[in-house]
Amino acid sequence: MKDFGVVYKIFYIYFLIYAASFGVCSETCVSRDYGNGGTVCVCTDSRCHTISPVQRLPSHQYVVYTSNKQGERLTKSVKTLSNSPPKECQIPYSDRICENNDCSGIKICGERDLNPWVVYKEGRPYFPSALDTINPNVYIDTHIQFQKIIGFGGAFTDSTGLNIKDMSSLLQNHLMRSYFSEEGLEYNMGRVPMASTDFSIRAYSYMDSEDEDVDCVDSTLKSFQLAQEDFEFKIPYIQEAMRLCPSLQLFASAWVAPKVFKENNSYRGTVGFIKRELYELYAKYFVTFLDKYLQNGIYFWGITTGNEVFVAMLDYGGIPGVLWMPDDLGLWVRDYLGPAIKQSAHKNIKIITVDDQRPLIPRVLKKIMFDQQTFDLIDGIGLHWYLDNDNNTHLLDETHTLYPTKFMLGTEACAGDFENNVRLGNWTRAELYAKDIIQDLNHWVQGWVDWNMVLNTKGGPSLAGPVDSPIIANVTEFYKQPQYYAMGHFSKFIPRESVRIYSSQCDNDSKVDLVAFKRPDGGKVVVILNR
């Protein structure tokens, strides 16, 4: 392991696991530099970078996975612990791992270039204080525990499916395995749009057409039918993901409603409230969507109350949307959506609200969950990353304090914007992903789901404007971006039911971000971002 002070932009994952074996060969990364401050791994029909699944280690070993700006991509190295643990602690030591006095935790120390050795003081490894000021150290304690992890994943958008469909069958297989198999990122969550989004090739709902009479509403929902996009771009790839990952948990989000349901008679969000007299029908519309997907063998773990329904007042370049006021949304959940779901075949589905920006919480939640009935119906809070910063993490803590029984889940994120979209190999965007995920996890968030899993080299197709994605495709090959590997440092090593444990950064002046977990199998994981 290299000195934290001289190796820049690097992730470290430590596994301190006590028993068994390790191994499975992996395909190496074929690297390509597009001059954007980093590299991509290129996948073709004949070859694609794979990553060994994590397995338990003998008690005298630990493993490090490294990704960095210089081109390492989840590079694995197995390390040997140099000292046996004292009987009173039974925790391994080495020149990087030294024990706290109470034997309850582990200190992970930056390696010293000039003095790569351990000083023992009172029977414990100890570095002189003069050296401790050189490199950052971190401390973890498994006895201090926080939230459990739900999962990590990405969204099955129309654009993602269209870009996959354009590939050869071999390349499609590589791509799906890259996300959902044990030789890939081991995603275990997926977000599924209900009808169109800004990353579709047309705006559509499941009930109306361009020439529909605004005064004619199908109150029976007999005209409800899934779109061609569902059968071409979503369902086949969801089914394949479920095959690769049987524990996959899906949640649905709606951008659009039938135009006749909305006061502005438009797919656009601008002042597009649902007509109050159609609240009940709109709830049944949600349940009908779940029914139709179930008929195709796809069941959902969760459903959100709508995508970015509070910023839909703004006109984001034509992004489709539905606008809600928080108190109206709470009333709809209490009197219509919640009862409709509880009376359906999907009564155990999780209802997730907000599905919008961090600065809105907990303010809007106080209005949404305005009474006990609504509170009881809502299971979780969805968060998008676009307005996250170091100064508003307190809102996550406040929300957890106010609603400790409600999980928080990152439900959308993407790098780039309409003007500055695809940047093949850009390392800064990987850092942005990792920093935000670490920040969320350290403030009670229980998972993080990315936006488009695959876009083309122009960052689309899109109705509103292009962005970037962890995988970029050009039909004959695809490119695993640094963001892909940033996601992997979490999704591959922190399985569902892992519990966050205490971690601290002993050097407050260093630019090292970290988060630590205890896995269900007893392994300890520390993810460290050195910027």
Side-chain angles (χ1 to χ4, degrees), residues 9-11 152 358 385 387-393 396 413 415 427-443 445 448 482-483 485-490 505 510-515 517 527-531:
K9 305 182 173 96
I10 196 163
F11 303 96
F152 300 91
R358 182 193 291 176
W385 86 324
L387 298 178
D388 291 359
N389 60 59
D390 291 331
N391 296 324
N392 61 21
T393 56
L396 297 173
W427 183 259
T428 300
R429 291 179 176 177
E431 289 188 329
L432 291 173
Y433 266 49
K435 184 177 185 297
D436 192 79
I437 297 171
I438 290 172
Q439 186 182 86
D440 272 358
L441 297 178
N442 276 324
H443 293 274
V445 175
W448 209 86
Q483 303 103 284
Y485 293 95
M487 286 292 299
H489 277 277
F490 302 90
Q505 190 171 302
S510 69
K511 292 186 177 181
V512 174
D513 303 289
L514 70 143
V515 67
F517 289 87
V527 188
I528 303 177
L529 168 65
N530 179 1
R531 290 175 286 139

Side-chain angles (χ1 to χ4, degrees), residues 354-371:
V354 184
D355 204 9
D356 213 322
Q357 315 305 320
R358 182 193 291 176
L360 294 171
I361 59 167
R363 185 185 301 269
V364 297
L365 286 167
K366 293 177 181 178
K367 293 183 177 294
I368 295 171
M369 295 190 281
F370 63 90
D371 68 1

Side-chain angles (χ1 to χ4, degrees), residues 219-234:
S219 60
T220 65
L221 298 184
K222 286 183 178 179
S223 62
F224 186 109
Q225 58 181 350
L226 295 179
Q228 190 63 31
E229 284 86 346
D230 291 277
F231 296 108
E232 286 191 23
F233 305 146
K234 295 175 188 172

Side-chain angles (χ1 to χ4, degrees), residues 19-34:
S21 60
F22 198 99
V24 171
C25 295
S26 60
E27 187 80 27
T28 57
C29 168
V30 176
S31 183
R32 188 178 296 169
D33 191 339
Y34 284 89

Side-chain angles (χ1 to χ4, degrees), residues 455-488:
L455 293 174
N456 62 27
T457 54
K458 295 181 180 179
S462 173
L463 291 173
V467 295
D468 211 340
S469 176
I471 288 181
I472 296 296
N474 77 353
V475 181
T476 59
E477 59 185 18
F478 66 82
Y479 316 110
K480 294 182 177 181
Q481 295 262 59
Q483 303 103 284
Y484 170 89
Y485 293 95
M487 286 292 299

Side-chain angles (χ1 to χ4, degrees), residues 194 205-208 212 216-226 257-258 260-261 278-292 340:
M194 293 172 55
S205 80
Y206 294 127
M207 282 186 63
D208 53 14
E212 188 161 359
C216 182
V217 177
D218 174 11
S219 60
T220 65
L221 298 184
K222 286 183 178 179
S223 62
F224 186 109
Q225 58 181 350
L226 295 179
V260 295
F261 284 33
L278 297 180
Y279 277 12
E280 182 178 6
L281 196 60
Y282 191 48
K284 291 179 179 178
Y285 177 90
F286 273 49
V287 173
T288 304
F289 167 81
L290 299 173
D291 290 339
K292 296 291 186 182

Side-chain angles (χ1 to χ4, degrees), residues 71-342:
E72 290 190 84
R73 294 293 180 265
L74 284 170
T75 302
K76 181 184 74 177
S77 56
V78 177
K79 306 289 186 178
T80 300
L81 298 164
S82 60
N83 300 94
S84 298
K87 293 180 179 179
E88 66 269 23
C89 287
Q90 294 297 308
I91 294 178
Y93 295 148
S94 74
D95 55 358
R96 302 167 193 81
I97 301 171
C98 40
E99 177 55 32
N100 184 44
N101 287 337
D102 63 5
C103 299
S104 67
I106 301 169
K107 188 177 182 182
I108 301 172
C109 307
E111 185 176 307
R112 276 69 181 166
D113 277 347
L114 300 177
N115 297 280
W117 37 260
V118 179
V119 174
Y120 282 85
K121 181 179 180 181
E122 298 177 353
R124 287 180 167 73
Y126 167 77
F127 290 108
S129 60
L131 291 177
D132 284 339
T133 62
I134 297 174
N135 299 299
N137 302 321
V138 301
Y139 172 73
I140 66 173
D141 192 336
T142 58
H143 291 71
I144 304 173
Q145 300 188 353
F146 303 92
Q147 79 275 22
K148 286 186 177 180
I149 287 298
I150 296 172
F152 300 91
F156 292 92
T157 62
D158 289 348
S159 296
T160 289
L162 186 151
N163 285 310
I164 297 174
K165 190 173 187 291
D166 284 346
M167 299 176 184
S168 68
S169 59
L170 284 173
L171 208 54
Q172 288 184 32
N173 183 57
H174 286 322
L175 191 139
M176 294 300 294
R177 296 189 68 82
S178 292
Y179 273 126
F180 296 100
S181 78
E182 287 189 343
E183 66 191 39
L185 300 193
E186 301 187 42
Y187 273 11
N188 59 10
M189 296 201 80
R191 189 184 189 205
V192 181
M194 293 172 55
S196 70
T197 73
D198 44 322
F199 281 84
S200 298
I201 55 177
R202 67 183 180 101
Y204 63 92
S205 80
Y206 294 127
M207 282 186 63
D208 53 14
S209 61
E210 292 301 322
D211 57 357
E212 188 161 359
D213 184 346
V214 298
D215 295 321
C216 182
V217 177
D218 174 11
S219 60
T220 65
L221 298 184
K222 286 183 178 179
S223 62
F224 186 109
Q225 58 181 350
L226 295 179
Q228 190 63 31
E229 284 86 346
D230 291 277
F231 296 108
E232 286 191 23
F233 305 146
K234 295 175 188 172
I235 290 173
Y237 306 112
I238 294 170
Q239 291 172 335
E240 175 63 8
M242 292 172 66
R243 187 187 70 80
L244 292 168
C245 175
S247 64
L248 185 69
Q249 290 182 341
L250 301 169
F251 64 96
S253 297
W255 274 248
V256 299
K259 289 184 295 181
V260 295
F261 284 33
K262 295 178 63 183
E263 291 180 355
N264 66 350
N265 191 38
S266 171
Y267 292 122
R268 303 279 278 269
T270 313
V271 199
F273 294 101
I274 298 293
K275 297 173 183 176
R276 188 170 289 268
E277 66 270 22
L278 297 180
Y279 277 12
E280 182 178 6
L281 196 60
Y282 191 48
K284 291 179 179 178
Y285 177 90
F286 273 49
V287 173
T288 304
F289 167 81
L290 299 173
D291 290 339
K292 296 291 186 182
Y293 262 67
L294 189 59
Q295 291 170 12
N296 287 275
I298 296 171
Y299 49 89
F300 284 87
W301 165 83
I303 192 166
T304 80
T305 52
N307 174 77
E308 295 189 350
V309 298
F310 304 117
V311 298
M313 180 72 75
L314 306 173
D315 191 353
Y316 282 123
I319 294 177
V322 171
L323 176 64
W324 283 100
M325 299 305 288
D327 49 350
D328 288 336
L329 183 62
L331 184 147
W332 178 64
V333 170
R334 185 193 69 183
D335 295 344
Y336 303 101
L337 180 65
I341 285 177
K342 295 304 179 186

